[in-house]
Amino acid sequence: MSVELELGERGMAKPAARLADRPGSMFQIGQAFFGPSRTKEQIDALQEYYRYYIEELQLLQKGISAQSWQGQSLAAQSYEDIFHIVTVLRNNRDCKRPKLRAMLALTLHPTNSQGLNWSINLAIRLWLMINVQDPKFEGLRYEATCVDWDDQTTLRAFIESLFPKSQWKITAQTSRLGSSFTAAFMHRVCGLKIKWTTSIHDHLRLDRRRKTLMVFPYKCHLHASIESRGEDEENMKSIIPLNILKETISSLDLLFPFWDAETVALLKKEKQTFHEYGPFEDIRTLTLVDFETWRDRLLELHEEIFQSPPVSWAQLWRDRRNPQQFWTFWVAMMILLLTVFSTVATIIQAWASVEALTYVS
C-alpha cells in the first residue's frame, strides 16, 4: 500500500503538529533529499523510507505531557524548514555546529540554541537515517542507539566517526565464508534473533548475551543515497561515504540472499521485503576482504554465532555445517543407544535366568 503524505494548511498549531500534519509530499521529500531528477518509479520505490519519515515526525509529539514533547521547542516549523536545514548541512558539511547554527538562525529565527540543535538532529535523522538525538530523548526509539553531535566536530568528521574502518587484517583465504552463512540459517540452527533498526550506524551490531543481531533493512534508502551521487551538482551527494552505502547493501545481500527459500520464509514472517529490491550482484560475495567498514561486525557474527555449537537437540539435528562431524556424532549416538539397549536386555535376561533357577529350586 502506498504511503500518501498529504499537504495541509500551516495554521497556528505548534511546530510538532505542523510538521506531523503537513510533512510534505513524497515527491517533495524525494527531490529535496535525493536530488531533483528523481523519477516517479524511484520515488515510489521509497515507500518503506516514507513510513519511517512519518513515524519520526510522530515521535515529536511523544512524552508524558505536551510540555515534554521534543517538537515543542523546535526551531523548524514546517517541512520547508527541514529541507532548508538539509540544504545548509549538505553545502557546509565541513563546518562545526556553532557556525551552522549561526547560518540557520538568519532564516529560522530560533528563541534558543537548543531548538536549533534539535531541529538539526531531526533533519539528519530524516535525511541520513542516523539516530542523532539529544540523550534526553533516547528512549523514543528502542530499536536504535542514540548518538549526540557536539560543537567541536565538523559534520563530515562526525558522520565518518560513526563508521570506523576495520582493524582486522586478514587474507582472502582466511576470510572465506561458507555458503550457509545466512541470517536464516543462524536463526534456525544457532538461535540467532534479528532486531530491525532504523539507524544505519547500528547495522550488524551484535548483542552476544541475547544473541541478537541488529539489521538496517532500508535498502531503498541506501540505493537512493547512492543514486543521488550521480547528480550533476556536487552538493547533492550523500554525506555518508559511498563505500559504506555499497557495503551495507552487500551485507544485506550476503545475509539475506533473495533466492534462498529459507531466507524468503524468514523475511515473510518478519514482514520485510527489502530482499526483493534490486539491482542484485551476479555473484554473492563470500569473503570478508570485500568489507572495510562492516568486516569486524561480520567477523564477530561469524565467530560468536555461526561457529558456535547448537544449543538444543533440534538445532543439533538441523546443523549441516560440518557433514562429517554431523554423521559421526549421530552414528556414535546410535551406537551408544544400541549399546544401552543391549546392556539393558542382557540385565533383563540375567535377571530372568536367576528368577527361573530360583523357581526351579
Side-chain angles (χ1 to χ4, degrees), residues 133-319:
Q133 185 72 277
D134 189 302
K136 176 180 178 180
F137 302 106
E138 63 180 349
L140 289 177
R141 278 203 178 274
Y142 69 91
E143 74 278 16
T145 303
C146 171
V147 290
D148 193 19
W149 180 23
D150 59 38
D151 284 351
Q152 286 72 49
T153 311
T154 66
L155 177 59
R156 187 194 299 271
F158 167 66
I159 297 299
E160 291 181 352
S161 71
L162 299 176
F163 305 97
K165 290 188 176 181
S166 171
Q167 300 299 313
W168 289 91
K169 305 301 180 183
I170 52 179
T171 64
Q173 182 178 2
T174 58
S175 71
R176 186 72 179 172
L177 300 169
S179 59
S180 59
F181 185 69
T182 67
F185 177 87
M186 287 182 277
H187 172 74
R188 179 173 58 87
V189 174
C190 308
L192 178 69
K193 302 177 186 69
I194 306 296
K195 181 179 179 181
W196 308 106
T197 180
T198 55
S199 187
I200 185 175
H201 84 285
D202 278 331
H203 184 57
L204 300 182
R205 192 184 299 276
L206 179 66
D207 184 335
R208 299 187 186 186
R209 186 169 65 86
R210 294 183 175 87
K211 298 186 75 171
T212 300
L213 180 70
M214 300 183 77
V215 175
F216 179 79
Y218 294 88
K219 190 187 283 190
C220 59
H221 180 271
L222 296 169
H223 277 296
S225 298
I226 292 174
E227 291 162 359
S228 72
R229 302 180 74 90
E231 298 290 335
D232 292 335
E233 297 181 29
E234 177 69 19
N235 286 333
M236 283 308 302
K237 295 181 178 180
S238 172
I239 196 172
I240 300 178
L242 179 61
N243 69 298
I244 294 173
L245 299 171
K246 289 185 174 181
E247 274 193 31
T248 306
I249 293 176
S250 295
S251 67
L252 289 172
D253 292 342
L254 169 66
L255 293 173
F256 302 92
F258 71 94
W259 43 261
D260 180 56
E262 191 175 30
T263 294
V264 172
L266 172 64
L267 293 179
K268 182 178 180 180
K269 180 180 177 182
E270 296 287 330
K271 298 180 181 180
Q272 294 287 340
T273 59
F274 65 86
H275 63 295
E276 301 173 355
Y277 191 87
F280 304 101
E281 296 291 336
D282 294 334
I283 301 176
R284 170 178 169 238
T285 182
L286 286 173
T287 175
L288 292 174
V289 171
D290 295 335
F291 297 92
E292 289 187 355
T293 301
W294 302 125
R295 183 187 305 161
D296 289 357
R297 294 186 182 181
L298 284 170
L299 185 60
E300 181 184 25
L301 178 64
H302 185 267
E303 293 182 348
E304 294 294 327
I305 303 298
F306 185 74
Q307 291 186 335
S308 65
V311 295
S312 69
W313 287 101
Q315 292 176 358
L316 189 61
W317 173 251
R318 300 183 191 123
D319 189 2

Side-chain angles (χ1 to χ4, degrees), residues 29 50 87 116 224 332 353:
I29 297 167
Y50 293 129
T87 299
L116 263 179
S353 298

